[in-house]
Amino acid sequence: MSQLSRLISILTLLKSKRLLTATALAEKFDVSVRTIYRDIRKLEEAGVPVVTIEGKGYSLMEGYTVAPVQFTEKEANALITAQNLVNQSNDSSFSKDFNDAFTKIKSVFKSYIQEKSERLDNNIFVFGSDFQNFQSNALSEIQIAITNLNYTEIKYKKVNDTAITSRTIEPYALYSTENKWILIAWCHLRNSYRAFRIDRIQQFKILEKQFEDRKFDLQTYFQDCPY
């Protein structure tokens, strides 16, 4: 769990319980007590009024609430439309993560906006231009590798090729065309940038080691691409 996710979880727990000890928080998130101390300081620096009761634990100042995020009807409709487009991505990991996140977002919709957004959801359709069945389950993990500059090991099978090659890549960019997600990465096997269809990746493993950013630019890549 990232520090940001842990901070949000700690704040949620503090809102739902009167008193929490550093030890209990450390056990819950499987981190050291010292890490919890640093997390509490981060919350305080962000303006969250955490009250420390010596020998007992932490609580929030009485009456403190987090202002709810409010969405307009147009914003809610835009999210509904985005959800329908995402569900056409044919990558189950990405669709699941988006829908899980959207469920949380919809929980803060005002009741009349939620009712209208459900009506739109029942009356909006997205038809792909390519009806072949391209399925993948790696998009969410690959996005993490891109944003964190992690080396990634993949086993890749080209179209109309029975051979599977093992490659170490530096993932840089993603684009979607004809219902297929394409990953652009620096391939150490070929010592150059290569395009990989996500649904052709047989196995992948994100490595802890990070690579140095080559400042990849997609527009330049397309201009220089020989095919």
Side-chain angles (χ1 to χ4, degrees):
M1 177 182 284
S2 67
Q3 185 187 44
L4 178 59
S5 297
R6 193 172 59 250
L7 289 174
I8 293 172
S9 297
I10 290 173
L11 179 56
T12 301
L13 287 171
L14 287 171
K15 286 171 59 182
S16 61
K17 295 186 177 181
R18 297 292 299 174
L19 204 61
L20 290 167
T21 66
T23 301
L25 289 169
E27 290 176 354
K28 179 172 181 59
F29 297 107
D30 195 25
V31 295
S32 67
V33 171
R34 188 177 296 274
T35 296
I36 295 299
Y37 291 156
R38 288 196 293 266
D39 289 344
I40 294 297
R41 282 199 298 272
K42 283 284 186 182
L43 289 173
E44 291 172 336
E45 290 169 4
V48 178
V50 180
V51 177
T52 304
I53 302 175
E54 197 67 36
K56 292 186 177 180
Y58 303 106
S59 66
L60 288 179
M61 183 181 294
E62 189 70 32
Y64 174 77
T65 58
V66 179
V69 177
Q70 297 294 337
F71 292 91
T72 66
E73 185 177 344
K74 286 185 177 180
E75 289 169 341
N77 289 345
L79 288 167
I80 289 291
T81 305
Q83 183 184 37
N84 279 270
L85 291 170
V86 165
N87 287 338
Q88 291 293 316
S89 71
N90 286 338
D91 186 278
S92 57
S93 66
F94 180 56
S95 296
K96 179 182 182 302
D97 288 341
F98 183 91
N99 284 300
D100 287 349
F102 193 40
T103 297
K104 296 175 183 178
I105 291 172
K106 286 195 293 186
S107 69
V108 302
F109 282 0
K110 291 181 178 178
S111 57
Y112 79 93
I113 288 181
Q114 188 164 21
E115 181 179 342
K116 289 184 177 183
S117 69
E118 288 174 358
R119 185 183 308 144
L120 176 64
D121 192 26
N122 291 328
N123 291 282
I124 189 169
F125 308 94
V126 178
F127 299 106
S129 58
D130 191 329
F131 291 96
Q132 298 181 63
N133 187 25
F134 299 111
Q135 296 292 331
S136 62
N137 190 31
L139 188 59
S140 288
E141 292 297 321
I142 288 170
Q143 289 172 334
I144 293 293
I146 290 173
T147 57
N148 290 280
L149 301 177
N150 288 114
Y151 283 105
T152 303
E153 291 180 351
I154 65 171
K155 292 189 183 298
Y156 190 71
K157 183 177 181 294
K158 292 182 179 179
V159 180
N160 301 323
D161 191 344
T162 58
I164 297 176
T165 59
S166 297
R167 306 173 187 234
T168 299
I169 62 171
E170 301 171 15
Y172 279 102
L174 289 161
Y175 70 91
S176 179
T177 178
E178 297 180 341
N179 266 4
K180 299 184 293 291
W181 281 101
I182 311 297
L183 168 67
I184 307 298
W186 180 268
C187 177
H188 285 262
L189 179 65
R190 306 302 183 198
N191 200 33
S192 64
Y193 288 112
R194 285 290 188 271
F196 301 97
R197 265 178 46 180
I198 299 297
D199 61 298
R200 307 301 301 180
I201 296 177
Q202 307 296 299
Q203 295 179 22
F204 70 96
K205 179 181 180 182
I206 298 176
L207 306 179
E208 292 186 6
K209 185 179 179 182
Q210 294 179 304
F211 56 82
E212 186 175 346
D213 191 357
R214 297 175 187 267
K215 306 302 180 184
F216 173 81
D217 179 74
L218 189 62
Q219 183 174 353
T220 302
Y221 168 81
F222 281 134
Q223 290 173 346
D224 298 341
C225 190
Y227 47 86

